[in-house]
Amino acid sequence: MTACAIEPAAANEENGENGENGDGGTSRTERAITEDGDTPRTERVITEDGRTPRTACVITVDGSYAARLARDGDSWFPERWTLDGPEPYAVPLPGNQPEEPGTEVQPMGDGRVLIRRFTDGRHAFSLLYPTAPRTGELPLGAVGCPDEGTVLRLLPPAPGGEKAYALAVGPRSSAVWLVAGGAFGPEHVAQVPGRCSGGVWLDRAGRMLALDRETDGRTKAVVVDLERGGEVSPLLQIADGSDDRLLLADPDSGLLLISSDAPSPGRPRLGWGVLGSTLPVRFPECLRVPDCALTPFAIQPGQVLVPESCGVALRVDGPMGSWVGVWRPAARQVQHLPAPGGWLAGAGLWTEDGELLLPYATADTPCGVARWAAAPGSGAPAGEAEGPGTAGATGAGDAGPEGSEGGGGKLAGSPEPDPPEPAVARPVPLQQAPLGNLVTK
């Protein structure tokens, strides 16, 4: 069992993780799929210890705020970006001393920034906010993980922006902690058998959390119900011997981006399905780009009845660097776009109207957002990015519905039975099915 204890609050202390990514795995914007399933041949994707790099910027679910660690010479400090105004602007939030590179920050819905620092075996949490003449800081408490090999990291921003969660991964089990928004500091809310990674929210209420759980040498996505004492139920089960992970989800349409090696054992493929649908998961051939890693990082919201029309933004890492891919399930082609100069790689946001926002920072523009507007009814963006060092979008490609065949299994769900609660899709595991040549071409 993962053993973590609440410790007294600590603030402005050094981080001893040296930038390690918590559980040794990757977060929802870090998991990359290569064409052959091997490590991409680019240093910009894989670090020396075999892990993929963190996203340089974290954005709230509603797109109002973002936060990152900015650099001034050799010093790191938190920075909050306001994105919902006429022009984006940044507010530095330096502490009494520079932060360590491994420090995590996350924006809250009210504009404050949650920070996690590691020191003396404890993970200390505080809320930062701008004030004069120094940065205001509200200590929230700390979580200690005395078990050797237990690591803790922040989960992606929760819907609503009022709460924040962390995942502590131990040798045999993983714990979900509410680290901001609780009544009395950090609260233990769920214990999940097995080593977990990832973290994807499946609903707008911040109740259903999907995690990738490793047990018996295989990784399967499961769902943790945070309002039922951490009740765990399976989500992805394409084949007994496959590794099935959930990379990204849109609660409005139910669109899911999935990684699985079921179609080609040992070689992960990028696929898609719909939560609550009886259609099979599909693995489009266009999502296999030779010598490149594709990492989905944003889905267009608001497409309630048309998940096939949702825009999906992909970070593409190849031998020549990083750029942006745009794809829709209804299209047969990935549109490749030049990334804006200074793009905070892996960060971005779709609007309901189909506009893709990409934050960037350069010497001339320390806080900028490049924008591409998608052409109506097409997977191809149109127009130009707003900001220096960017170029216009590429033209539309061949579009059309994908065939119904795909990597076997189905996604199914039903609403919660309790009448006072809002309807929440209850995922049921994908059933085993022969794959053979059923991969979408």
Side-chain angles (χ1 to χ4, degrees), residues 81-104:
W81 289 27
T82 300
L83 304 177
D84 60 352
E87 295 290 339
Y89 65 92
V91 176
L93 297 171
N96 296 328
Q97 63 186 32
E99 305 292 345
E100 292 293 325
T103 299
E104 287 187 294

Side-chain angles (χ1 to χ4, degrees), residues 18-35:
N18 297 322
E20 290 184 357
N21 183 22
D23 57 2
T26 55
S27 68
R28 68 170 183 166
T29 54
E30 295 167 350
R31 286 162 288 186
I33 305 300
T34 60
E35 187 274 337

Side-chain angles (χ1 to χ4, degrees), residues 36 38 59 81 141 152 207 219 236 314 321 327 333 350 401 441:
D36 57 3
D38 296 330
I59 305 175
W81 289 27
L152 181 146
R207 170 179 175 176
T219 300
L236 296 180
L314 306 163
W327 170 79
Q333 183 175 341
W350 281 99
K441 300 299 183 181

Side-chain angles (χ1 to χ4, degrees), residues 11-15 69-78 93-103 115 117:
N12 290 326
E13 298 183 80
E14 294 184 357
N15 186 312
L69 277 186
R71 192 169 184 172
D72 182 11
D74 294 332
S75 300
W76 297 86
F77 62 91
L93 297 171
N96 296 328
Q97 63 186 32
E99 305 292 345
E100 292 293 325
T103 299
I115 187 168
R117 303 182 179 100

Side-chain angles (χ1 to χ4, degrees), residues 37-396:
D38 296 330
T39 299
R41 295 196 294 268
T42 168
E43 293 180 355
R44 300 187 64 178
V45 182
I46 301 297
T47 57
E48 292 181 358
D49 59 3
R51 300 186 179 106
T52 48
R54 298 184 183 208
T55 303
C57 181
V58 181
I59 305 175
T60 56
V61 174
D62 64 1
S64 298
Y65 296 100
R68 69 171 185 139
L69 277 186
R71 192 169 184 172
D72 182 11
D74 294 332
S75 300
W76 297 86
F77 62 91
E79 188 176 71
R80 186 199 71 190
W81 289 27
T82 300
L83 304 177
D84 60 352
E87 295 290 339
Y89 65 92
V91 176
L93 297 171
N96 296 328
Q97 63 186 32
E99 305 292 345
E100 292 293 325
T103 299
E104 287 187 294
V105 294
Q106 186 174 116
M108 304 296 292
D110 59 5
R112 294 183 293 181
V113 172
L114 174 69
I115 187 168
R116 179 193 64 82
R117 303 182 179 100
F118 182 81
T119 180
D120 297 331
R122 301 178 305 170
H123 300 265
F125 299 91
S126 296
L127 288 173
L128 308 180
Y129 53 93
T131 186
R134 298 179 179 178
T135 300
E137 181 166 343
L138 175 63
L140 300 176
V143 175
C145 298
D147 281 0
E148 184 178 356
T150 298
V151 289
L152 181 146
R153 63 175 177 82
L154 291 176
L155 286 167
E162 297 178 354
K163 297 180 179 180
Y165 295 84
L167 180 68
V169 183
R172 293 175 297 277
S173 67
S174 304
V176 179
W177 288 81
L178 174 65
V179 296
F184 305 104
E187 301 175 11
H188 180 272
V189 295
Q191 193 77 29
V192 183
R195 293 179 58 83
C196 294
S197 59
V200 178
W201 296 100
L202 298 179
D203 64 339
R204 292 292 182 189
R207 170 179 175 176
M208 309 298 288
L209 173 67
L211 297 172
D212 300 326
R213 180 175 66 175
E214 180 186 351
T215 55
D216 300 326
R218 293 297 175 188
T219 300
K220 306 289 184 182
V222 298
V223 180
V224 181
D225 190 334
L226 299 183
E227 291 190 6
R228 288 189 171 179
E231 177 183 278
V232 179
S233 57
L235 174 62
L236 296 180
Q237 178 70 40
I238 299 180
D240 287 341
S242 61
D243 290 323
D244 310 316
R245 295 177 172 87
L246 181 63
L247 307 183
L248 212 57
D250 174 58
D252 296 333
S253 64
L255 179 63
L256 306 179
L257 272 296
I258 295 165
S259 163
S260 176
D261 61 357
S264 52
R267 298 182 177 182
R269 292 284 302 272
L270 187 60
W272 68 280
V274 179
L275 186 64
S277 172
T278 58
L279 295 176
V281 173
R282 284 167 274 186
F283 298 88
E285 190 69 22
C286 66
L287 295 181
R288 302 179 69 185
V289 180
D291 296 326
C292 292
L294 271 63
T295 311
F297 64 87
I299 300 179
Q300 181 183 356
Q303 314 302 302
V304 178
L305 300 177
V306 283
E308 297 85 356
S309 299
C310 290
V312 178
L314 306 163
R315 171 179 172 176
V316 186
D317 293 281
M320 302 303 294
S322 300
W323 61 94
V324 181
V326 174
W327 170 79
R328 296 174 190 269
R332 295 182 181 272
Q333 183 175 341
V334 175
Q335 307 299 320
H336 294 273
L337 312 175
W343 178 40
L344 304 180
L349 182 77
W350 281 99
T351 68
E352 291 190 11
D353 297 331
E355 190 175 41
L356 178 59
L357 312 181
L358 300 173
Y360 67 92
T362 65
D364 296 331
T365 307
C367 178
V369 175
R371 301 172 181 265
W372 276 281
S378 164
E384 298 184 352
E386 298 177 2
T390 59
T394 60

